[in-house]
Amino acid sequence: DEYDGGSKWLLGCIIDGRKFATITSINEAEQNVNHQTKTVTNYPNPFNPTTTIEYYLDNEAIVILEIFDQLGRRVRVLEDKSQDVGKHRIVFEGSDLASGVYYYRLLVKDKKGEKMYLQGNKMVLLK
């Protein structure tokens, strides 16, 4: 449909499986979108001194999982290898780091090294 210039209202939505407001209907065809990879927010967050990062791969892929500080400096590489299909769980241990905001970045590449997926999230280390 073309946008008619009128007001549009969002009555509810589902984000990362959590329901916000009232959902009256969901188009089943839109639910079946194929996502190659998805990450799950680290837990717990805030954390001290460990947090778990989970992600799921639909295809075998090369995975690079890195931690960065607020200035964008890489402080840790948690994964840099080929991984099989399925759910993966990495425990990040930050006892040697200062309290503050850190970011993790998940980069997934196919076997040829082509980028397929990139996502980052924020996490807070409290000591």
Side-chain angles (χ1 to χ4, degrees), residues 36-124:
Q36 295 295 320
T37 303
K38 68 177 181 178
T39 59
V40 177
T41 303
N42 64 298
Y43 61 90
N45 192 17
F47 68 98
N48 178 21
T50 62
T51 188
T52 301
I53 302 169
E54 290 184 342
Y55 53 93
Y56 181 84
L57 299 175
D58 283 344
N59 298 303
E60 182 180 347
I62 299 166
V63 172
I64 302 171
L65 180 60
E66 302 170 298
I67 307 295
F68 295 89
D69 66 13
Q70 289 185 44
L71 298 177
R73 297 178 294 210
R74 185 174 57 203
V75 297
R76 201 79 100 270
V77 177
L78 302 180
E79 292 290 337
D80 187 357
K81 64 181 182 181
S82 180
Q83 294 186 345
D84 293 329
V85 172
K87 187 175 183 179
H88 299 270
R89 178 179 296 145
I90 306 297
V91 176
F92 170 59
E93 204 275 310
S95 62
D96 61 325
L97 299 174
S99 294
V101 175
Y102 292 87
Y103 300 89
Y104 64 89
R105 180 177 74 177
L106 178 71
L107 173 61
V108 178
K109 298 179 179 182
D110 65 15
K111 291 180 182 181
K112 297 177 186 176
E114 299 288 325
K115 181 175 80 171
M116 296 177 4
Y117 182 82
L118 175 66
Q119 182 178 350
N121 284 313
K122 178 172 73 170
M123 56 187 176
V124 178

Side-chain angles (χ1 to χ4, degrees), residues 2-51:
E2 290 186 3
Y3 178 67
D4 63 5
S7 297
K8 304 289 182 187
W9 296 95
L10 176 65
L11 301 176
C13 63
I14 299 173
I15 300 173
D16 292 332
R18 294 185 354 203
K19 185 170 102 174
F20 296 88
T22 302
I23 307 297
T24 56
S25 68
I26 297 174
N27 182 338
E28 294 297 324
E30 292 176 10
Q31 281 188 315
N32 296 323
V33 175
N34 182 17
H35 296 287
Q36 295 295 320
T37 303
K38 68 177 181 178
T39 59
V40 177
T41 303
N42 64 298
Y43 61 90
N45 192 17
F47 68 98
N48 178 21
T50 62
T51 188

